[in-house]
């Protein structure tokens, strides 16, 4: 069973790369989804699902932290830009006549 899963992984990966080269992105995406399903099935065969769940959880945590930090930095930059705009003083230049 495990050998068939690994052969299926290889075949779906090869087909996905072939579809990408031929610019058939929808088929490549479907092959990638099939590939992910085969990875999970293979991990389940080898009783590694717990490790995969931890890995996905950690990856999701990193992605979440990245977007939160990015949002906060954009907010801080926008507030700084607004404070600079508020501090700008308009100066009128008046010509003195002799």
């Amino acid at each position: 069973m495990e050998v068939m899963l690994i052969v299926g992984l290889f075949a779906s990966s090869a087909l996905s790369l072939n579809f990408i080269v031929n610019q058939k992105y929808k088929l490549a995406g479907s092959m990638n989804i099939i590939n992910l399903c085969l990875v999970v099935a293979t991990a389940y065969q080898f009783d590694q699902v717990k490790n995969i769940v931890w890995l996905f959880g950690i990856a999701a945590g990193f992605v979440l932290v990245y977007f939160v930090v990015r949002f906060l930095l954009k907010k801080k930059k926008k507030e700084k830009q607004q404070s600079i705009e508020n501090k700008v003083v308009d100066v009128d230049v008046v010509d003195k006549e002799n």
Side-chain angles (χ1 to χ4, degrees), residues 5 10 14 25 39 44 48 50 62 80 89 98:
L5 288 170
F10 176 76
Y25 300 115
V39 166
Y44 185 74
Q48 294 293 321
K50 293 177 185 176
F62 278 126
K80 185 176 180 180
V89 178
N98 292 334

Side-chain angles (χ1 to χ4, degrees), residues 23-38:
Q23 296 181 351
K24 297 179 180 177
Y25 300 115
K26 288 183 181 179
L27 289 173
S30 63
M31 283 295 125
N32 284 331
I33 292 170
I34 291 170
N35 202 5
L36 289 173
C37 293
L38 288 172

Side-chain angles (χ1 to χ4, degrees), residues 25 34 36 38 46 48-49 66 69-70 90 94-95:
Y25 300 115
I34 291 170
L36 289 173
L38 288 172
F46 290 111
Q48 294 293 321
V49 175
Y66 169 76
V69 168
R70 187 173 151 194
D90 292 331
V94 178
D95 285 337

